[in-house]
């Protein structure tokens, strides 16, 4: 398992790719409302990424279980945890949708995910999103040189489980760079002080996937879509970071989304 430490020049390229992903999610935020289809969102994202000189990494991404991914973003609605395929599904008031987006720019990858509310959601679901997002930032605080991967997972698991939520085990965060998925894997559960030592120059995608009910999941016949076994909603937030001593840098951004949400 070779972990690639990035130079400052490479981190700068990673930053640009991830800022583009953040802008893409910000653009989608303008369109996520009742009546829109997930396929329409996919078209907007692909055009936006390509217009900015990048390639949507998810399109035709290989699948160990089946055919390549057919779209530019993953659109996971309500009880879909990850890897939802954009289609003619119409978003309805009260839905949530996790949009996972990746872009390859100048040889380096950006990767980020945000779970959006469609119209007015229930207080129960709103709280799930709030806690999942907070767990991401708690994990990033400890994702510094000298800590371990288990410290990241511990922060997410302990925080989310304290609210009674389920922490998905089968899917993880990951290293990222010239490849979308590089070593090491970053589970959303773990023990402090366990796992790979974090070093300056590592670039990691940290992505809590948290369920309102039981943590168990299953795969749909399309061999991509992952759903909660009990049909309850799931939230998914993801940032790409560069690891440093003391404080790591978040390379992706939710700023544009949060600006729209606050208005």
């Amino acid at each position: 398992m070779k972990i690639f430490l990035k130079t400052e020049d490479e981190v700068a390229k990673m930053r640009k790719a991830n800022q583009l992903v953040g802008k893409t999610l910000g653009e989608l935020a303008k369109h996520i409302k009742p009546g829109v289809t997930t396929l329409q969102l996919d078209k907007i994202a692909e055009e936006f990424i390509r217009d900015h000189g990048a390639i949507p990494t998810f399109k035709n991404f290989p699948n160990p279980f089946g055919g390549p991914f057919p779209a530019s973003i993953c659109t996971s609605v309500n009880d879909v945890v990850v890897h939802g395929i954009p289609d003619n599904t119409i978003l309805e008031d009260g839905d949530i949708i996790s949009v996972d987006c990746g872009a390859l720019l100048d040889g380096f990858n950006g990767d980020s995910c945000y779970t959006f509310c469609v119209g007015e959601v229930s207080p129960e679901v709103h709280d799930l999103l709030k806690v999942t997002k907070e767990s991401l930032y708690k994990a990033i605080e400890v994702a510094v040189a000298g800590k371990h991967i288990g410290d990241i997972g511990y922060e997410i698991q302990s925080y989310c489980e304290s609210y009674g939520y389920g922490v998905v085990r089968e899917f993880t965060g990951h290293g990222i760079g010239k490849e979308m998925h590089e070593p090491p894997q970053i589970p959303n559960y773990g023990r402090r002080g366990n796992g790979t030592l974090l070093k300056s120059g590592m670039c990691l995608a940290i992505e809590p996937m948290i369920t309102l009910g039981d943590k168990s999941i299953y795969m749909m016949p399309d061999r991509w879509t992952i759903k909660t076994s009990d049909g309850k909603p799931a939230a998914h937030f993801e940032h790409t970071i560069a690891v440093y001593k003391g404080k790591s840098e978040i390379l992706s951004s939710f700023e544009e989304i949060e600006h729209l949400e606050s208005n």
Side-chain angles (χ1 to χ4, degrees), residues 81 128 131-132 135 156-170 188-189 207-217 228 230 232-236:
V81 183
L128 170 69
V131 169
T132 304
S135 79
I156 294 167
Q157 180 183 10
S158 60
Y159 190 66
C160 293
E161 287 183 349
S162 75
Y163 287 88
Y165 300 142
V167 179
V168 171
R169 301 296 201 270
E170 293 86 348
N188 294 310
Y189 61 94
E207 46 181 320
M209 292 159 245
I210 307 300
T211 64
L212 186 61
D214 193 81
K215 67 179 183 290
S216 61
I217 57 172
T228 59
D230 58 12
K232 291 185 177 178
H236 180 198

Short mmCIF file of all heavy atoms in Angstrom, two decimals, residues 81 128 131-132 135 156-170 188-189 207-217 228 230 232-236:
data_model
loop_
_atom_site.label_atom_id
_atom_site.label_comp_id
_atom_site.label_asym_id
_atom_site.label_seq_id
_atom_site.Cartn_x
_atom_site.Cartn_y
_atom_site.Cartn_z
N VAL A 81 -27.91 5.62 0.32
CA VAL A 81 -26.74 6.07 1.08
C VAL A 81 -25.71 6.70 0.15
O VAL A 81 -25.25 7.83 0.36
CB VAL A 81 -26.10 4.89 1.86
CG1 VAL A 81 -24.94 5.39 2.72
CG2 VAL A 81 -27.13 4.18 2.72
N LEU A 128 -30.39 14.94 11.52
CA LEU A 128 -29.45 13.95 10.96
C LEU A 128 -28.40 14.64 10.10
O LEU A 128 -27.19 14.35 10.21
CB LEU A 128 -30.21 12.90 10.14
CG LEU A 128 -29.33 11.95 9.31
CD1 LEU A 128 -28.55 11.00 10.21
CD2 LEU A 128 -30.18 11.15 8.31
N VAL A 131 -25.93 16.81 12.33
CA VAL A 131 -24.96 16.02 13.09
C VAL A 131 -23.91 15.38 12.16
O VAL A 131 -22.72 15.35 12.48
CB VAL A 131 -25.68 14.95 13.93
CG1 VAL A 131 -24.69 13.95 14.53
CG2 VAL A 131 -26.49 15.61 15.04
N THR A 132 -24.35 14.88 11.01
CA THR A 132 -23.42 14.26 10.06
C THR A 132 -22.38 15.28 9.59
O THR A 132 -21.17 14.99 9.55
CB THR A 132 -24.17 13.68 8.86
OG1 THR A 132 -25.15 12.75 9.32
CG2 THR A 132 -23.22 12.95 7.91
N SER A 135 -19.97 16.06 12.32
CA SER A 135 -19.00 14.97 12.53
C SER A 135 -17.84 15.06 11.53
O SER A 135 -16.70 14.70 11.86
CB SER A 135 -19.68 13.61 12.43
OG SER A 135 -19.91 13.20 11.10
N ILE A 156 -15.94 10.54 14.17
CA ILE A 156 -17.22 10.42 13.46
C ILE A 156 -18.14 9.44 14.18
O ILE A 156 -19.30 9.75 14.47
CB ILE A 156 -16.97 9.95 12.00
CG1 ILE A 156 -16.21 11.03 11.21
CG2 ILE A 156 -18.29 9.61 11.31
CD1 ILE A 156 -15.65 10.56 9.89
N GLN A 157 -17.62 8.27 14.48
CA GLN A 157 -18.44 7.22 15.11
C GLN A 157 -18.97 7.65 16.47
O GLN A 157 -20.18 7.54 16.73
CB GLN A 157 -17.61 5.94 15.26
CG GLN A 157 -18.38 4.80 15.91
CD GLN A 157 -17.53 3.57 16.13
OE1 GLN A 157 -16.30 3.60 15.98
NE2 GLN A 157 -18.15 2.47 16.49
N SER A 158 -18.10 8.15 17.33
CA SER A 158 -18.53 8.47 18.70
C SER A 158 -19.55 9.60 18.69
O SER A 158 -20.53 9.57 19.44
CB SER A 158 -17.33 8.83 19.58
OG SER A 158 -16.63 9.94 19.07
N TYR A 159 -19.35 10.58 17.81
CA TYR A 159 -20.27 11.73 17.76
C TYR A 159 -21.64 11.30 17.21
O TYR A 159 -22.68 11.59 17.82
CB TYR A 159 -19.67 12.84 16.91
CG TYR A 159 -20.45 14.14 17.00
CD1 TYR A 159 -20.51 14.84 18.20
CD2 TYR A 159 -21.12 14.66 15.91
CE1 TYR A 159 -21.21 16.04 18.30
CE2 TYR A 159 -21.83 15.85 15.99
CZ TYR A 159 -21.88 16.53 17.20
OH TYR A 159 -22.59 17.70 17.30
N CYS A 160 -21.64 10.59 16.10
CA CYS A 160 -22.92 10.22 15.47
C CYS A 160 -23.67 9.17 16.30
O CYS A 160 -24.90 9.24 16.42
CB CYS A 160 -22.68 9.72 14.05
SG CYS A 160 -22.10 11.03 12.94
N GLU A 161 -22.94 8.22 16.87
CA GLU A 161 -23.61 7.19 17.67
C GLU A 161 -24.18 7.78 18.96
O GLU A 161 -25.15 7.26 19.50
CB GLU A 161 -22.67 6.03 17.95
CG GLU A 161 -22.43 5.16 16.71
CD GLU A 161 -21.54 3.95 16.98
OE1 GLU A 161 -20.94 3.87 18.08
OE2 GLU A 161 -21.46 3.08 16.09
N SER A 162 -23.61 8.88 19.44
CA SER A 162 -24.14 9.50 20.65
C SER A 162 -25.55 10.06 20.41
O SER A 162 -26.30 10.29 21.35
CB SER A 162 -23.21 10.62 21.15
OG SER A 162 -23.30 11.78 20.34
N TYR A 163 -25.91 10.26 19.16
CA TYR A 163 -27.26 10.71 18.79
C TYR A 163 -28.15 9.54 18.37
O TYR A 163 -29.29 9.74 17.95
CB TYR A 163 -27.19 11.73 17.65
CG TYR A 163 -26.68 13.08 18.08
CD1 TYR A 163 -25.31 13.36 18.10
CD2 TYR A 163 -27.56 14.08 18.49
CE1 TYR A 163 -24.84 14.60 18.51
CE2 TYR A 163 -27.10 15.33 18.90
CZ TYR A 163 -25.74 15.58 18.91
OH TYR A 163 -25.27 16.81 19.31
N GLY A 164 -27.61 8.32 18.45
CA GLY A 164 -28.39 7.14 18.09
C GLY A 164 -28.40 6.80 16.62
O GLY A 164 -29.20 5.97 16.18
N TYR A 165 -27.53 7.43 15.84
CA TYR A 165 -27.49 7.18 14.40
C TYR A 165 -26.60 5.99 14.06
O TYR A 165 -25.75 5.58 14.86
CB TYR A 165 -26.97 8.42 13.66
CG TYR A 165 -27.81 9.66 13.84
CD1 TYR A 165 -27.23 10.92 13.96
CD2 TYR A 165 -29.20 9.58 13.91
CE1 TYR A 165 -28.00 12.07 14.13
CE2 TYR A 165 -29.99 10.72 14.08
CZ TYR A 165 -29.38 11.95 14.19
OH TYR A 165 -30.14 13.08 14.36
N GLY A 166 -26.81 5.43 12.87
CA GLY A 166 -26.01 4.31 12.40
C GLY A 166 -24.83 4.79 11.57
O GLY A 166 -24.95 5.75 10.78
N VAL A 167 -23.69 4.16 11.73
CA VAL A 167 -22.48 4.51 10.98
C VAL A 167 -22.19 3.39 9.98
O VAL A 167 -21.90 2.25 10.38
CB VAL A 167 -21.27 4.69 11.93
CG1 VAL A 167 -20.01 5.02 11.14
CG2 VAL A 167 -21.56 5.78 12.96
N VAL A 168 -22.28 3.71 8.70
CA VAL A 168 -22.08 2.71 7.64
C VAL A 168 -20.63 2.22 7.66
O VAL A 168 -19.69 3.01 7.73
CB VAL A 168 -22.45 3.31 6.26
CG1 VAL A 168 -22.05 2.36 5.13
CG2 VAL A 168 -23.94 3.61 6.21
N ARG A 169 -20.48 0.90 7.62
CA ARG A 169 -19.14 0.29 7.72
C ARG A 169 -18.54 -0.05 6.35
O ARG A 169 -17.33 -0.06 6.18
CB ARG A 169 -19.21 -1.02 8.53
CG ARG A 169 -19.73 -0.89 9.96
CD ARG A 169 -18.80 -0.02 10.80
NE ARG A 169 -18.94 -0.25 12.23
CZ ARG A 169 -19.78 0.42 13.02
NH1 ARG A 169 -20.58 1.33 12.52
NH2 ARG A 169 -19.81 0.17 14.32
N GLU A 170 -19.39 -0.39 5.38
CA GLU A 170 -18.91 -1.01 4.14
C GLU A 170 -18.26 -0.02 3.17
O GLU A 170 -17.55 -0.43 2.25
CB GLU A 170 -20.06 -1.73 3.42
CG GLU A 170 -20.59 -2.94 4.17
CD GLU A 170 -21.66 -2.60 5.20
OE1 GLU A 170 -21.85 -1.41 5.53
OE2 GLU A 170 -22.30 -3.54 5.68
N ASN A 188 -15.26 5.36 8.73
CA ASN A 188 -15.99 6.31 9.57
C ASN A 188 -16.21 5.78 10.99
O ASN A 188 -17.08 6.26 11.71
CB ASN A 188 -17.32 6.66 8.91
CG ASN A 188 -17.10 7.41 7.61
OD1 ASN A 188 -16.36 8.39 7.58
ND2 ASN A 188 -17.71 6.95 6.53
N TYR A 189 -15.43 4.79 11.36
CA TYR A 189 -15.45 4.22 12.70
C TYR A 189 -14.01 3.85 13.03
O TYR A 189 -13.18 3.69 12.11
CB TYR A 189 -16.36 2.99 12.77
CG TYR A 189 -15.92 1.88 11.85
CD1 TYR A 189 -15.11 0.85 12.31
CD2 TYR A 189 -16.28 1.87 10.50
CE1 TYR A 189 -14.67 -0.15 11.47
CE2 TYR A 189 -15.85 0.88 9.65
CZ TYR A 189 -15.05 -0.14 10.14
OH TYR A 189 -14.61 -1.13 9.29
N GLU A 207 -15.42 11.23 4.53
CA GLU A 207 -16.82 11.29 4.11
C GLU A 207 -17.75 10.43 4.99
O GLU A 207 -18.07 9.29 4.65
CB GLU A 207 -16.96 10.90 2.64
CG GLU A 207 -16.22 9.65 2.19
CD GLU A 207 -16.42 9.38 0.71
OE1 GLU A 207 -17.54 9.55 0.20
OE2 GLU A 207 -15.44 8.97 0.05
N PRO A 208 -18.20 10.99 6.12
CA PRO A 208 -19.17 10.26 6.94
C PRO A 208 -20.45 9.94 6.16
O PRO A 208 -21.01 10.81 5.50
CB PRO A 208 -19.44 11.20 8.11
CG PRO A 208 -18.87 12.52 7.73
CD PRO A 208 -17.82 12.28 6.72
N MET A 209 -20.88 8.67 6.26
CA MET A 209 -22.15 8.20 5.69
C MET A 209 -22.95 7.66 6.86
O MET A 209 -22.60 6.63 7.44
CB MET A 209 -21.90 7.12 4.65
CG MET A 209 -21.20 7.63 3.39
SD MET A 209 -20.40 6.31 2.48
CE MET A 209 -18.68 6.77 2.64
N ILE A 210 -24.00 8.38 7.24
CA ILE A 210 -24.67 8.15 8.52
C ILE A 210 -26.17 7.94 8.27
O ILE A 210 -26.79 8.66 7.48
CB ILE A 210 -24.45 9.36 9.45
CG1 ILE A 210 -22.95 9.70 9.58
CG2 ILE A 210 -25.09 9.12 10.81
CD1 ILE A 210 -22.08 8.58 10.14
N THR A 211 -26.74 6.95 8.98
CA THR A 211 -28.15 6.60 8.77
C THR A 211 -29.00 7.02 9.97
O THR A 211 -28.54 7.01 11.11
CB THR A 211 -28.30 5.09 8.55
OG1 THR A 211 -27.90 4.40 9.75
CG2 THR A 211 -27.44 4.61 7.39
N LEU A 212 -30.25 7.35 9.69
CA LEU A 212 -31.19 7.72 10.75
C LEU A 212 -31.55 6.51 11.61
O LEU A 212 -31.82 6.63 12.80
CB LEU A 212 -32.46 8.33 10.13
CG LEU A 212 -33.49 8.90 11.09
CD1 LEU A 212 -32.92 10.03 11.92
CD2 LEU A 212 -34.71 9.38 10.32
N GLY A 213 -31.54 5.32 11.00
CA GLY A 213 -31.89 4.11 11.72
C GLY A 213 -30.72 3.15 11.83
O GLY A 213 -29.62 3.52 12.25
N ASP A 214 -30.95 1.91 11.41
CA ASP A 214 -29.92 0.87 11.50
C ASP A 214 -28.82 1.12 10.48
O ASP A 214 -29.06 1.67 9.41
CB ASP A 214 -30.58 -0.50 11.24
CG ASP A 214 -29.65 -1.63 11.62
OD1 ASP A 214 -29.56 -1.96 12.81
OD2 ASP A 214 -29.01 -2.19 10.69
N LYS A 215 -27.59 0.68 10.81
CA LYS A 215 -26.45 0.91 9.92
C LYS A 215 -26.40 -0.06 8.74
O LYS A 215 -25.59 0.12 7.83
CB LYS A 215 -25.14 0.83 10.70
CG LYS A 215 -24.80 -0.55 11.25
CD LYS A 215 -23.47 -0.52 11.99
CE LYS A 215 -23.05 -1.88 12.50
NZ LYS A 215 -23.88 -2.36 13.62
N SER A 216 -27.24 -1.09 8.73
CA SER A 216 -27.14 -2.10 7.67
C SER A 216 -27.68 -1.57 6.34
O SER A 216 -28.62 -0.78 6.29
CB SER A 216 -27.85 -3.39 8.07
OG SER A 216 -29.22 -3.15 8.28
N ILE A 217 -27.05 -2.03 5.26
CA ILE A 217 -27.33 -1.52 3.91
C ILE A 217 -27.42 -2.68 2.93
O ILE A 217 -27.07 -3.83 3.27
CB ILE A 217 -26.21 -0.56 3.45
CG1 ILE A 217 -24.84 -1.27 3.48
CG2 ILE A 217 -26.19 0.71 4.28
CD1 ILE A 217 -23.71 -0.49 2.88
N THR A 228 -30.37 1.96 2.60
CA THR A 228 -30.49 1.49 3.98
C THR A 228 -31.46 0.32 4.02
O THR A 228 -32.48 0.32 3.32
CB THR A 228 -31.01 2.61 4.91
OG1 THR A 228 -32.29 3.04 4.44
CG2 THR A 228 -30.07 3.80 4.93
N ASP A 230 -33.47 -0.57 6.38
CA ASP A 230 -34.76 -0.28 7.01
C ASP A 230 -35.55 0.82 6.29
O ASP A 230 -36.63 1.22 6.74
CB ASP A 230 -34.58 0.07 8.49
CG ASP A 230 -33.65 1.27 8.72
OD1 ASP A 230 -33.33 1.98 7.74
OD2 ASP A 230 -33.25 1.49 9.88
N LYS A 232 -34.90 3.93 6.07
CA LYS A 232 -34.80 5.27 6.67
C LYS A 232 -33.72 6.09 5.94
O LYS A 232 -32.82 5.52 5.33
CB LYS A 232 -34.48 5.15 8.16
CG LYS A 232 -35.65 4.58 8.96
CD LYS A 232 -35.37 4.58 10.44
CE LYS A 232 -36.59 4.07 11.22
NZ LYS A 232 -36.33 4.00 12.66
N PRO A 233 -33.80 7.42 6.03
CA PRO A 233 -32.86 8.26 5.28
C PRO A 233 -31.42 8.15 5.76
O PRO A 233 -31.16 7.75 6.90
CB PRO A 233 -33.39 9.68 5.47
CG PRO A 233 -34.63 9.59 6.26
CD PRO A 233 -34.82 8.19 6.73
N ALA A 234 -30.51 8.55 4.87
CA ALA A 234 -29.08 8.58 5.19
C ALA A 234 -28.51 9.91 4.72
O ALA A 234 -28.98 10.49 3.74
CB ALA A 234 -28.36 7.43 4.50
N ALA A 235 -27.48 10.38 5.42
CA ALA A 235 -26.79 11.63 5.06
C ALA A 235 -25.34 11.33 4.72
O ALA A 235 -24.75 10.37 5.23
CB ALA A 235 -26.88 12.63 6.20
N HIS A 236 -24.76 12.18 3.87
CA HIS A 236 -23.40 11.97 3.39
C HIS A 236 -22.77 13.33 3.11
O HIS A 236 -23.27 14.10 2.28
CB HIS A 236 -23.46 11.12 2.10
CG HIS A 236 -22.13 10.82 1.48
ND1 HIS A 236 -22.01 10.40 0.17
CD2 HIS A 236 -20.87 10.87 1.96
CE1 HIS A 236 -20.74 10.21 -0.12
NE2 HIS A 236 -20.03 10.49 0.95
#
